[in-house]
Amino acid sequence: MKTTKSHPKLLLTGAAGGLGQALRERLKANCDVLRLSDRVAFGEAGHNEEIVLADLADADAVNTMVAGVDAIIHLGGVSVEGPFEPIMQANILGVYHLYEAARKHGVKRVVFASSNHVTGFYRQSETINADQPPRPDGFYGVSKAFGEDLSRFYFDRYGIETACVRIGSSFAEPRDRRMLASWLSFDDLHRLITACLTTPVLGHSIIFGMSDNAVTWWDNSKARHVGYVPQDSSDVFRDAVYARTAAPDLNDPAVQFQGGGFVKAGPFQ
Ligand code: NAI
Ligand code: 15L
């Protein structure tokens, strides 16, 4: 897909994180100015960049972060399973602050980094689509399901379009056998975000963020209007992953369920 500058000024939250770093250079092709934000400092702004630090739990800071941008790629927040309180602050309160700021400033398109852990308690023997109900595998997955519901409300009530991208496992390479099914390359992630930013009518869409992997648990047929065509595949890593990992224990919930080890995390007190 051709990368067009659909929005002059883009906001990328979570810019100091793993995916934020991977997308920083790539997203410059999508805009004239890239505003980068995180809670923690991560250096100086480069050419055609702005940096606005903000804690998502701070409504005023989030309001300032959003002012003047044309679209938002929201990656910021707690990205793994853990105790409820920090997840609640960053992912539940934080996403509310983000959408309130978008409403006040007239931002009409958001790409929301949801997660496969919204549906982590489906089995690895099942293929699911976006119409099937969430089955979160922990507080983290619940917080992402909240973000999906909140963004649907802001679409229905205020017309803010959102792509909820249920990212699988987006790393440089698949790290284990499970990720052969869930892997999303950084280039495909960028292609997917570009599609979400440029499709004429996005609406409120849920799309599974995965590369063109031979083994998959997710059916993206409900999101054809987004126009995402993955070009990478985990298949080229299969032999190496099998060689360095043990055969799975089929009685292990981490092997039975799509969420992997997240389904066994906790309790935390
Ligand atoms: P990460 O943990 O490396 O980056 C998250 C960033 O959010 C960090 O830089 C952190 O400082 C920032 N952050 C945390 N709490 C914050 C707060 N209260 N206010 C402002 N910023 C805060 O995570 P990664 O891997 O880069 O993921 C990015 C997004 O994509 C996350 O929302 C994650 O849930 C989602 N995702 C990532 C997947 C992956 O495979 N990398 C899979 C599924 C979802
Ligand atoms: C996620 O949601 C996490 O953010 C990421 O770190 C991985 O654990 C990924 O899911 C996964 O399921 O592999």
Side-chain angles (χ1 to χ4, degrees):
M1 166 173 290
K2 189 173 178 301
T3 303
T4 52
K5 295 188 178 186
S6 55
H7 300 85
K9 188 174 283 193
L10 280 183
L11 167 64
L12 175 66
T13 72
L19 295 187
Q21 292 177 55
L23 288 169
R24 183 171 176 171
E25 278 310 308
R26 288 171 169 88
L27 283 173
K28 287 185 180 171
N30 298 71
C31 58
D32 297 322
V33 176
L34 183 61
R35 180 177 293 174
L36 303 157
S37 184
D38 205 287
R39 179 173 55 171
V40 298
F42 55 100
E44 304 295 316
H47 185 58
N48 292 341
E49 289 181 345
E50 298 174 354
I51 290 181
V52 180
L53 297 184
D55 190 322
L56 291 160
D58 179 339
D60 290 340
V62 172
N63 193 53
T64 301
M65 173 184 83
V66 169
V69 305
D70 301 293
I72 301 171
I73 301 155
H74 183 46
L75 305 186
V78 176
S79 64
V80 291
E81 179 59 342
F84 183 72
E85 178 70 24
I87 289 175
M88 188 266 288
Q89 291 290 336
N91 295 12
I92 294 180
L93 194 57
V95 78
Y96 162 69
H97 289 157
L98 187 94
Y99 275 91
E100 269 301 283
R103 179 185 67 77
K104 288 175 186 164
H105 293 290
V107 180
K108 288 296 187 188
R109 196 168 284 202
V110 179
V111 179
F112 168 55
S114 185
S115 171
N116 72 87
H117 296 286
V118 167
T119 51
F121 262 125
Y122 283 94
R123 292 184 176 271
Q124 294 192 10
S125 54
E126 295 174 276
T127 304
I128 60 171
N129 69 34
D131 285 349
Q132 284 171 263
R135 296 183 73 175
D137 58 27
F139 299 136
Y140 167 68
V142 168
S143 77
K144 293 293 187 180
F146 174 83
E148 292 189 358
D149 276 356
L150 188 82
S151 62
R152 190 184 294 277
F153 164 66
Y154 276 84
F155 174 64
D156 289 340
R157 180 70 179 80
Y158 302 111
I160 299 174
E161 295 186 297
T162 292
C164 297
V165 180
R166 289 183 182 164
I167 302 172
S169 306
S170 194
F171 301 101
E173 294 184 7
R175 295 175 171 176
D176 55 30
R177 295 190 188 198
R178 171 181 168 274
M179 289 191 191
L180 292 169
S182 57
W183 188 61
L184 172 66
S185 74
F186 295 149
D187 284 337
D188 276 345
L189 173 60
H190 179 234
R191 288 183 188 105
L192 175 46
I193 290 172
T194 298
C196 294
L197 290 173
T198 56
T199 192
V201 179
L202 178 64
H204 183 271
S205 301
I206 292 172
I207 182 162
F208 295 94
M210 58 184 172
S211 285
D212 185 19
N213 308 322
V215 172
T216 181
W217 310 314
W218 307 317
D219 167 6
N220 259 337
S221 58
K222 304 288 177 183
R224 290 228 174 90
H225 61 288
V226 174
Y228 166 57
V229 182
Q231 292 180 26
D232 296 323
S233 171
S234 66
D235 302 350
V236 295
F237 301 103
R238 179 169 302 277
D239 289 348
V241 170
Y242 270 63
R244 68 169 187 263
T245 56
D249 171 5
L250 298 182
N251 294 313
D252 182 353
V255 173
Q256 294 171 338
F257 294 101
Q258 296 183 6
F262 280 49
V263 306
K264 301 194 293 186
F268 298 101
Q269 55 184 351

